[in-house]
Amino acid sequence: MPFHFRGLRHSNDWSRLLFVFKDNYRKIKERNKSNQKKQISTAVFESYDGIVITDANADILRVNESFERITGYTQPDVVGKNPRFLQSGRHPSTFYQSMWTTLLTTGHWEGEVWNKNRSGKIYPEWLSITAIKNIHQQITHYVGHFTNLAVIKQAQLELERLSFVDPLTNLFNRRKLMDQLEETFRDPVKRMQTFLLFADLDDFKDINDSLGHHIGDLLLQEVAHRLLEFAHPYGDLVARIGGDEFVMICHRILSVEADRMSIATAYAHQLLERLKTTYRLQNANISITVSIGVRVLSLEDTNPDVAMQEVDLAMYQMKSEGKDGVMCYIPEIKRKAQAEFQIRQKFETAMERKEIFFVYQGQFTSEGTLAGAEMLSRWKQDGQWISPGQFIPAIEKTSMILTLGELSLREAVIQIKKWRKSGIDVPRISINISSIGIHRHREDVVQFVKGVIKDDNLDLSFLTFEITEASLLHEETAKRTLRDLHNLGIQFSIDDFGTGYSSLAYIHTLPIDELKIDRRFIQQMRDSSTARAIVQTILSMGQNLGIRVIAEGVETEEEKTILDSMGCQLYQGYYFMRPEPAQKLVDYTNFLQKPL
């Protein structure tokens, strides 16, 4: 139906009508804007975290449902009260005095607080308080926002336990072994009564290759069980420090040098015979041999790492002499360490001959879309592959690791530019930061990165540095370096997140953009409710903090299904793809069909 504007004869009439339209439009727009603000405010107030609003005297005016759920108190219970009724008694009065001083001075305070809920249970929370001021800068309200840390604390304790335990065998791991060995070295008397045994299964790879890794794992578990049974009467510590490598710290009342050596050797031979007894695994009889190294400690020994190196050398000497036996360490065995020197020598030549190259393992969304890739170094010499597990440990304590880091960063930049020039969508590339030696020279590293880029138009957010050495995260120089690099646009990822006690602290002290869940938790999810709870906690933490979370080491559809149900968004592992050259990465993901 057409509109008829009868009686609008003059321009003033039209002007009045236009004014009415504009005024109504303005009112509608303001009303919509106000409603939108109310909706946002309601959504924020009813968040998963607890929220409490007080007046200027700190008397409670309103709380949300999460406050009621966490504390057990309803809104009618608490309105008009001061929040101090929640205090647990764990904090001294000086704690709260400092809190209020900071709050009144800066307008904000946050930190960890232990409070008590209605049932009397004490729980930890991360509390953030903000002072609200009017136009005259007078405080009118306080808003408290808190997260219940009880689940996180419980998970953190479990992470601490798991950081000392080998998940396959439930033996202690290398970290616990070294802690115990360092304690032994601090006591001269105890050191004189100690010897080390290093047991390695001979040709264990053949068992994996012929019978399958499942049988190999069962064998390792049974070996661990026999070691524990054998060591129990003496209280010896048993640890699994590698694939088929086990170490024992043994304490005995030892007298003269000859007796100490003979007692340790006799004990090692008894262990050897116990480990060689036939294993019955899934209707299969399996016989193995074992090579054992022995290192008797003395007052002259001052370094536990050297002692570990030497018992390791003794074991390898036994392998080189035919396996299936016991070898005591003597100084002459040290010559075997030249093998590592040879690797370093070959590595320098390999760099000159361009035998070192890089492959990429994709990182995918839950729908299978490529979201990024991790760059990994490989070495092939004269047609033979040299494992990163061999050459990385050999060079990581030398300047060669810096050379490899420079090469990897340059390669990443070159590859990104190639992809862009070809019109290919550029994935985010991750590089292990340990290969750049960031803990050494802050200014040098920052200038080096700037020098490699040499392109003001290149968006550095495509580059992610993975932090793998927890020790460097406690150095202030390293922290400043990370912040300087982050200001350039480079992103940072915590690799193997969840394996260290202080992992949560990294998020608050470093510019972290991504967490990579340790593959051990992924592998344990199917059989361990604790592992599933830890994975879920990390995923929720990342979501709440706006940090990407990648599940690393996903190898089966079952693992992906479990992670999907937890809301995981990013994946890396053999289930999606193995490490491949750059071109295969593009082909694999059909990147060539995705123009910029």
Side-chain angles (χ1 to χ4, degrees):
M1 175 183 290
F3 288 99
H4 299 282
F5 297 99
R6 302 176 186 272
L8 298 178
R9 301 176 180 274
H10 304 289
S11 61
N12 288 340
D13 295 331
W14 286 101
S15 297
R16 285 195 300 273
L17 180 61
L18 181 60
F19 173 79
V20 170
F21 281 164
K22 287 183 176 180
D23 186 56
N24 286 338
Y25 175 76
R26 178 183 57 80
K27 290 179 180 179
I28 293 172
K29 185 176 180 181
E30 289 179 352
R31 188 182 305 118
N32 290 338
K33 187 175 182 180
S34 175
N35 291 337
Q36 186 179 34
K37 287 183 177 180
K38 289 179 181 179
Q39 291 173 352
I40 295 174
S41 176
T42 300
V44 171
F45 191 75
E46 296 306 328
S47 70
Y48 186 77
D49 294 335
I51 296 177
V52 54
I53 301 175
T54 75
D55 59 20
N57 296 319
D59 293 328
I60 296 175
L61 298 176
R62 187 182 175 191
V63 299
N64 68 350
E65 291 182 1
S66 293
F67 175 98
E68 297 177 330
R69 173 178 51 80
I70 295 171
T71 67
Y73 292 99
T74 64
Q75 183 159 283
D77 294 332
V78 301
V79 169
K81 293 183 179 180
N82 188 293
R84 69 170 62 95
F85 75 89
L86 293 169
Q87 292 179 8
S88 65
R90 282 201 177 192
H91 302 290
S93 59
T94 53
F95 173 85
Y96 297 101
Q97 292 170 3
S98 175
M99 172 195 295
W100 278 102
T101 298
T102 301
L103 181 58
L104 295 175
T105 303
T106 67
H108 182 77
W109 180 92
E110 66 176 319
E112 185 175 303
V113 178
W114 287 80
N115 278 337
K116 183 167 60 177
N117 64 19
R118 186 167 196 158
S119 65
K121 184 177 181 180
I122 296 175
Y123 64 93
E125 65 182 41
W126 187 264
L127 173 63
S128 175
I129 307 176
T130 302
I132 308 300
K133 299 180 180 180
N134 59 22
I135 60 174
H136 304 295
Q137 295 301 302
Q138 298 170 328
I139 296 177
T140 60
H141 298 83
Y142 295 100
V143 176
H145 177 278
F146 61 93
T147 302
N148 187 355
L149 298 179
V151 174
I152 295 177
K153 288 285 185 180
Q154 183 179 0
Q156 196 174 36
L157 291 174
E158 180 62 17
L159 294 178
E160 168 70 1
R161 186 190 72 81
L162 289 175
S163 68
F164 287 111
V165 174
D166 169 58
L168 177 65
T169 63
N170 283 324
L171 296 178
F172 289 124
N173 60 13
R174 178 185 288 273
R175 179 181 175 186
K176 177 64 176 179
L177 174 79
M178 294 309 298
D179 284 351
Q180 189 66 40
L181 192 56
E182 288 170 1
E183 180 181 330
T184 298
F185 267 72
R186 287 191 288 268
D187 185 343
V189 175
K190 196 172 186 179
R191 195 189 324 153
M192 283 288 293
Q193 300 171 349
T194 300
F195 60 89
L196 306 177
L197 300 184
F198 194 126
D200 184 278
L201 309 189
D202 297 327
D203 302 315
F204 178 69
K205 183 178 182 300
D206 293 343
I207 295 176
N208 275 335
D209 292 344
S210 60
L211 301 178
H213 287 272
H214 177 61
I215 295 297
D217 287 347
L218 291 177
L219 176 60
L220 292 174
Q221 291 170 344
E222 182 58 29
V223 168
H225 178 69
R226 293 189 185 186
L227 284 167
L228 284 175
E229 279 189 338
F230 188 80
H232 179 71
Y234 306 97
D236 298 332
L237 182 143
V238 184
R240 178 184 178 225
I241 65 169
D244 60 339
E245 298 176 336
F246 301 86
V247 175
M248 295 174 60
I249 301 178
C250 311
H251 301 294
R252 302 290 186 276
I253 303 299
L254 306 174
S255 55
V256 299
E257 192 73 26
D259 290 339
R260 298 168 69 233
M261 186 70 76
S262 62
I263 290 174
T265 303
Y267 185 68
H269 278 289
Q270 293 172 15
L271 175 62
L272 178 64
E273 294 306 313
R274 179 70 183 96
L275 295 179
K276 288 171 59 178
T277 305
T278 301
Y279 296 82
R280 182 72 175 175
L281 301 174
Q282 291 192 348
N283 300 321
N285 292 325
I286 300 176
S287 298
I288 64 171
T289 61
V290 182
S291 296
I292 300 178
V294 180
R295 176 65 165 87
V296 179
L297 302 184
S298 66
L299 285 176
E300 288 72 27
D301 294 315
T302 59
N303 191 323
D305 291 320
V306 172
M308 279 293 296
Q309 179 191 39
E310 291 171 347
V311 71
D312 186 30
L313 290 173
M315 182 272 296
Y316 275 108
Q317 180 66 22
M318 184 65 250
K319 283 187 176 293
S320 68
E321 295 188 9
K323 308 176 184 178
D324 188 20
V326 173
M327 177 67 65
C328 290
Y329 173 80
I330 54 177
E332 287 76 9
I333 294 179
K334 208 92 176 189
R335 69 177 184 272
K336 292 296 181 180
Q338 293 177 351
E340 186 172 334
F341 174 75
Q342 291 298 324
I343 288 180
R344 290 196 290 268
Q345 293 294 99
K346 292 179 180 179
F347 185 81
E348 288 187 345
T349 304
M351 294 291 286
E352 296 172 359
R353 295 169 58 181
K354 301 186 183 304
E355 294 175 348
I356 305 298
F357 61 97
F358 299 94
V359 293
Y360 300 82
Q361 185 173 36
Q363 298 166 341
F364 296 85
T365 67
S366 56
E367 293 79 20
T369 302
L370 186 70
E374 181 177 1
M375 189 167 70
L376 305 166
S377 57
R378 293 292 185 265
W379 180 5
K380 191 173 186 180
Q381 185 178 65
D382 299 328
Q384 298 294 318
W385 290 100
I386 300 179
S387 166
Q390 290 178 281
F391 69 84
I392 294 295
I395 68 171
E396 64 184 353
K397 295 182 180 180
T398 73
S399 61
M400 295 178 191
I401 197 71
L402 299 178
T403 305
L404 180 61
E406 178 179 349
L407 181 63
S408 62
L409 182 55
R410 292 186 188 281
E411 174 69 20
V413 173
I414 290 172
Q415 188 58 61
I416 288 292
K417 290 181 177 179
K418 283 183 179 179
W419 282 333
R420 288 192 169 187
K421 188 176 181 180
S422 302
I424 301 170
D425 194 7
V426 180
R428 185 176 61 252
I429 300 298
S430 298
I431 300 176
N432 193 314
I433 203 171
S434 64
S435 66
I436 300 180
I438 196 170
H439 57 293
R440 298 189 180 186
H441 308 289
R442 174 192 173 199
E443 294 80 6
D444 291 350
V445 171
V446 175
Q447 291 304 317
F448 162 70
V449 172
K450 288 182 177 179
V452 170
I453 303 305
K454 292 181 180 177
D455 187 347
D456 295 335
N457 297 321
L458 192 60
D459 180 10
L460 294 188
S461 63
F462 77 86
L463 193 60
T464 298
F465 285 167
E466 292 190 7
I467 300 168
T468 57
E469 296 182 16
S471 59
L472 68 82
L473 299 176
H474 301 291
E475 299 178 7
E476 288 303 319
T477 300
K479 291 179 182 178
R480 290 194 295 270
T481 303
L482 297 185
R483 295 189 184 100
D484 289 346
L485 292 173
H486 197 264
N487 290 336
L488 296 178
I490 294 171
Q491 300 190 24
F492 287 93
S493 172
I494 298 180
D495 198 12
D496 299 332
F497 183 80
T499 58
Y501 180 76
S502 56
S503 292
L504 294 175
Y506 301 164
I507 301 177
H508 295 288
T509 59
L510 293 171
I512 302 302
D513 305 282
E514 178 182 278
L515 306 176
K516 298 186 77 174
I517 304 175
D518 187 352
R519 69 186 64 214
R520 288 186 297 175
F521 299 132
I522 304 301
Q523 293 167 353
Q524 295 173 36
M525 288 189 307
R526 185 185 65 180
D527 301 317
S528 170
S529 59
T530 299
R532 286 196 299 273
I534 292 172
V535 171
Q536 182 67 76
T537 298
I538 296 174
L539 288 169
S540 300
M541 184 190 312
Q543 184 177 17
N544 291 334
L545 296 175
I547 297 175
R548 296 190 306 270
V549 179
I550 296 181
E552 190 174 23
V554 180
E555 297 185 354
T556 67
E557 183 175 359
E558 182 180 13
E559 291 170 350
K560 181 183 181 298
T561 300
I562 295 174
L563 290 164
D564 279 341
S565 69
M566 295 181 179
C568 184
Q569 299 295 318
L570 294 171
Y571 302 83
Q572 180 178 343
Y574 282 7
Y575 175 76
F576 292 89
M577 71 173 293
R578 292 176 177 271
E580 298 281 5
Q583 184 55 47
K584 286 192 176 181
L585 176 68
V586 173
D587 295 341
Y588 188 88
T589 58
N590 295 319
F591 248 43
L592 290 173
Q593 301 176 9
K594 297 182 178 181
L596 285 172

